[in-house]
Amino acid sequence: MSPSGAFAWNWDPAVLLGLLALCCAYYGVVGPLRERRGWGEPPSRRQITSFVVGMLLLALCLISPLDALGRTTLFSAHMLQLMVINTVVGPLLLLGLPAGIVRTSLGPLRNLGEYGLIVVMLAAAGLFNAVFLLWHAGSFYEPALHNEALRDLEVLTILLTGILRWWPVLTPDQPKLRLASPTQILYILLESLPIDIFGVALIFALRPTYATYALATPVWHLTASLDQTIAGCIALIPGTFLDFILISIVFFAWLRRVEHDQEREDERLAALPRP
């Protein structure tokens, strides 16, 4: 494809209909269905804003020239697209759900116990990583670059499994559905490890992995090898930085909770009658 074609906008009807369907599904769930089933309060302004911003970013990722660049010319553009979908869009869409709907949808997990929750959460992270890495195996990835239906399926499955891997971290009002903070920190460290390893492999690969990018007409004077190295950095560095931020937030929240519990215990002991 010519360089000019690599900067085309994507008006694939399946993509546009999928975005519209997602918006309609959100309205139906948080609106009429929530009222009919009694699933708590309506979404707050912050939750609606979170969903809208997430949808706008998703639309930009799928419709803007970033998509065409990723399909035809630059592996780094593809990786940037997926990292935005995984690390920004997925959490924003999840945070757009009212607490009542989250509580209802995750209700069956309440009786699993801590070890059962750990297994389910590891399964969610494992499913995301398996889907991500499977789509990037050459026998799957190359056909998806040249088939719109496969490409759409790739993005959809990575988005959905990506949302699943975030819910153990983004359910702050569901203490029974959230790991203890030290275990949650370990989860954050491990859940993206396979993709980090994939990113390192891309950085140090001796030759381009995918024929489409190796044969593409270079843009911005980027060779296929340099483009792949940049893609590996995109897969590795932003996710690692985000994990550091999340771990810091979880750690200090846990520390405050421990201090608060200790203060309450000290107050209880001080109120006991002295012999």
Side-chain angles (χ1 to χ4, degrees):
M1 178 177 287
S2 65
S4 60
F7 292 91
W9 288 75
N10 176 24
W11 303 113
D12 179 8
V15 172
L16 299 178
L17 288 174
L19 293 171
L20 179 61
L22 190 54
C23 291
C24 292
Y26 178 77
Y27 170 75
V29 170
V30 304
L33 188 60
R34 178 194 56 78
E35 294 178 356
R36 191 179 310 121
R37 298 294 181 88
W39 289 345
E41 297 296 320
S44 65
R45 181 175 299 178
R46 177 181 298 179
Q47 289 166 335
I48 294 175
T49 300
S50 175
F51 180 82
V52 170
V53 172
M55 286 301 303
L56 289 175
L57 285 175
L58 180 60
L60 282 175
C61 286
L62 299 180
I63 295 175
S64 73
L66 181 65
D67 181 73
L69 274 171
R71 283 186 288 109
T72 62
T73 310
L74 294 178
F75 187 38
S76 55
H78 163 79
M79 194 57 64
L80 177 61
Q81 179 190 48
L82 288 191
M83 287 302 106
V84 172
I85 290 175
N86 291 331
T87 61
V88 183
V89 173
L92 285 174
L93 296 184
L94 187 58
L95 290 172
L97 294 175
I101 293 177
V102 175
R103 185 166 49 249
T104 301
S105 59
L106 300 181
L109 301 179
R110 292 175 179 275
N111 300 322
L112 291 179
E114 183 176 356
Y115 293 110
L117 283 176
I118 291 175
V119 171
V120 172
M121 292 173 180
L122 290 178
L127 179 62
F128 165 74
N129 283 281
V131 168
F132 186 95
L133 295 177
L134 183 64
W135 276 116
H136 287 85
S139 56
F140 287 93
Y141 187 71
E142 286 287 353
L145 288 176
H146 307 288
N147 185 295
E148 288 187 352
L150 283 177
R151 174 72 172 179
D152 294 342
L153 181 62
E154 174 191 357
V155 173
L156 177 63
T157 52
I158 289 177
L159 172 64
L160 294 179
T161 55
I163 291 175
L164 284 179
R165 75 158 175 153
W166 279 108
W167 72 263
V169 182
L170 299 179
T171 53
D173 63 333
Q174 302 295 309
K176 291 185 178 180
L177 300 177
R178 188 179 69 245
L179 295 172
S181 292
T183 311
Q184 194 176 39
I185 290 174
L186 183 62
Y187 174 84
I188 296 172
L189 284 171
L190 296 179
E191 56 87 20
S192 61
L193 184 59
I195 294 179
D196 293 341
I197 295 174
F198 175 66
V200 171
L202 291 175
I203 292 172
F204 293 102
L206 298 178
R207 60 182 60 88
T209 303
Y210 305 108
T212 295
Y213 303 118
L215 299 175
T217 302
V219 296
W220 301 321
H221 305 290
L222 288 176
T223 64
S225 295
L226 179 57
D227 170 52
Q228 183 166 283
T229 300
I230 295 173
C233 292
I234 292 173
L236 177 64
I237 297 174
T240 302
F241 182 69
L242 179 61
D243 287 347
F244 175 77
I245 293 175
L246 290 174
I247 288 172
S248 300
I249 293 172
V250 171
F251 173 77
F252 286 111
W254 171 63
L255 195 61
R256 286 194 300 270
R257 194 158 58 245
V258 170
E259 291 176 350
H260 179 68
D261 292 343
Q262 185 61 49
E263 290 174 358
R264 293 182 60 183
E265 180 64 15
D266 292 344
E267 292 174 357
R268 186 187 68 83
L269 293 176
L272 293 177
R274 297 183 180 274

